[in-house]
Amino acid sequence: MNKHILIVPGDGIGQEVTAVGKKVLDKIATKFGHTFTYDEALIGHVAIEATGDPLPAETLQKMRNSDAVLFGAVGHPKYDNDPSAKVRPEQGLLKMRKELGLYANLRPIKLFDELLSASSIKPEILKGADILFFRELTGDIYFGEKGRKNNGDTAFDVAEYSRYEVERIGRKAFEAARTRKKKLCSVDKANVLETSRLWREVIQKLALEYPDVEVEYQFVDATAMLLIKDPCRFDVVVTANLFGDILTDEASQIAGSMGMLASASIGDGTGVYEPIHGSAHDITGKGLANPLASILSAALLLDISFGLKAESDAVINAVDQVLKAGYRTRDIADKQTPADKILGTEAMGEAVLKFL
Ligand code: IPM
Ligand code: MG
């Protein structure tokens, strides 16, 4: 198979972890006889520094012309405490999602057994947890009208959803549930929000087309509690953009660390694959970042964009083997981990390559 992959490292540890993800893709190409070609492009703070634009037109064009994008992270601390900044790294990410029509964000939360003790949740509660989140990614309060009024003393962000937007993400979630335990949980705040009432109405109607899938409806606040109390009760979860953002950071603790979680953003065109963690400037350049989320993002890319299931499984299996052999990055190590098993970013990448 011949494929062209765009590497978009972005900011902070994005650079270090995508470099490792790319090596894994390269290894897969050699091992399975594929030809992957690569290009790189800028986004986020590094793009602002180079061009003044967090998503340069050239980057967007390259994305459209690629078969898939391996993405790092965006963000820079200098903007976090500066609410007045007009140009921000995150704008690049949001514009990319909108321009590429990436309306479905898949975030699989699966705990590797070896990491049971890395989580702050009790192992007996966690064991067997396996959740697939479908977060809607191009609507909601993220993309509605926003602004100030009353001389800047009042601010507003409008949350908006159309029937069409809810239906297409809902359908993806129902289809996925069919291939899993056939359970879908739709999360909203329909006791308060009109957008949530439309959301629920659309999902209820869709449910009639999927009688084999058992559907439950939960409010977002209750879901936040249930994820920690009983994560094993969930199979597929579908929710709106903002709720999905918050719930998946919470759910990352079920997988032991943010450093383990990969995501796929898919929709009308090129798919984008990225860790759910951010740019982590506190550890940038130190070689400490966990590259496993980027490696697992590469696995999602192989499976979803290229249909290469065996190749994808080989990557996941190699990660499993590395963990079974006791290797850890700092974020997933515990008191029992011997010092010589705690690896940096590159060494962890090499360990995965060796098992591949
Ligand atoms: C995510 C991130 C982004 C989001 C930020 C960086 C804009 O938190 O992908 O979850 O809120 O969507
Ligand atoms: Mg987030």
Side-chain angles (χ1 to χ4, degrees):
M1 188 178 269
N2 289 337
K3 292 287 182 193
H4 186 64
I5 302 168
L6 186 67
I7 311 286
V8 184
D11 302 322
I13 61 168
Q15 303 277 341
E16 298 154 58
V17 298
T18 50
V20 176
K22 181 182 171 209
K23 279 191 193 164
V24 167
L25 287 169
D26 247 357
K27 181 82 182 179
I28 286 289
T30 317
K31 192 174 146 83
F32 288 84
H34 302 300
T35 306
F36 294 160
T37 54
Y38 305 92
D39 197 356
E40 268 208 27
L42 299 175
I43 198 167
H45 174 67
V46 291
I48 296 173
E49 294 285 285
T51 70
D53 185 348
L55 179 65
E58 188 192 340
T59 297
L60 197 54
Q61 198 50 45
K62 283 184 176 181
M63 288 174 164
R64 292 208 164 99
N65 293 338
S66 313
D67 294 307
V69 175
L70 187 71
F71 194 95
V74 295
H76 193 281
K78 95 173 193 202
Y79 303 89
D80 293 345
N81 290 316
D82 178 10
S84 70
K86 288 273 175 294
V87 180
R88 317 180 67 88
E90 291 81 4
Q91 291 163 345
L93 180 66
L94 299 180
K95 188 170 170 205
M96 172 191 80
R97 291 172 177 169
K98 199 71 175 176
E99 290 284 333
L100 295 181
L102 301 169
Y103 64 84
N105 184 219
L106 281 65
R107 296 188 165 182
I109 312 281
K110 193 165 179 187
L111 178 71
F112 287 91
D113 276 347
E114 300 75 32
L115 296 184
L116 265 177
S117 62
S119 173
S120 35
I121 307 172
K122 288 192 199 107
E124 61 270 27
I125 304 268
L126 274 185
K127 203 165 167 38
D130 179 359
I131 311 174
L132 177 57
F133 273 89
F134 279 79
R135 168 189 175 193
E136 200 288 330
L137 205 57
T138 53
D140 203 3
I141 196 165
Y142 271 62
F143 290 94
E145 197 195 336
K146 51 183 84 244
R148 297 275 178 119
K149 52 190 184 186
N150 297 335
N151 295 323
D153 289 338
T154 305
F156 58 91
D157 298 272
V158 178
E160 217 175 295
Y161 265 121
S162 70
R163 211 173 274 285
Y164 166 71
E165 287 173 309
V166 181
E167 194 181 315
R168 64 182 177 175
I169 181 86
R171 219 171 259 294
K172 284 234 182 292
F174 271 106
E175 294 290 339
R178 269 198 169 152
T179 68
R180 296 170 47 105
K181 289 183 217 136
K182 297 190 168 50
K183 277 176 63 182
L184 178 67
C185 177
S186 175
V187 177
D188 61 34
K189 187 73 185 173
N191 50 348
V192 178
L193 303 176
E194 197 54 39
T195 41
S196 285
R197 286 192 275 269
L198 175 74
W199 183 281
R200 199 173 278 219
E201 192 185 308
V202 173
I203 301 291
Q204 280 172 342
K205 196 153 166 241
L206 267 182
L208 302 174
E209 289 179 43
Y210 298 88
D212 51 324
V213 176
E214 179 196 328
V215 190
E216 71 161 339
Y217 302 88
Q218 288 289 350
F219 295 135
V220 63
D221 47 354
T223 309
M225 177 272 291
L226 288 168
L227 276 172
I228 300 300
K229 187 177 174 223
D230 184 15
C232 294
R233 75 196 296 290
F234 295 103
D235 178 22
V236 178
V237 177
V238 64
T239 192
N241 201 346
L242 182 63
F243 298 157
D245 178 46
I246 299 168
L247 291 177
T248 53
D249 263 31
E250 183 192 355
S252 73
Q253 287 313 297
I254 296 168
S257 161
M258 290 264 279
M260 294 301 298
L261 285 195
S263 84
S265 301
I266 56 172
D268 306 327
T270 315
V272 175
Y273 299 84
E274 62 178 305
I276 86 154
H277 64 66
S279 49
H281 281 267
D282 51 329
I283 57 164
T284 295
K286 297 187 179 154
L288 294 173
N290 183 349
L292 294 177
S294 184
I295 292 173
L296 293 169
S297 298
L300 284 176
L301 181 158
L302 292 164
D303 181 9
I304 299 175
S305 274
F306 300 170
L308 298 174
K309 183 83 175 103
E311 287 80 343
S312 175
D313 286 347
V315 174
I316 296 169
N317 187 43
V319 170
D320 201 28
Q321 295 299 317
V322 164
L323 296 173
K324 282 210 170 74
Y327 295 110
R328 300 284 186 271
T329 43
R330 209 189 42 160
D331 57 311
I332 48 173
D334 58 23
K335 286 189 211 76
Q336 278 80 42
T337 314
D340 64 334
K341 295 262 167 147
I342 301 184
L343 307 180
T345 312
E346 277 184 27
M348 183 51 110
E350 291 307 318
V352 173
L353 291 176
K354 208 177 107 215
F355 279 101
L356 264 181

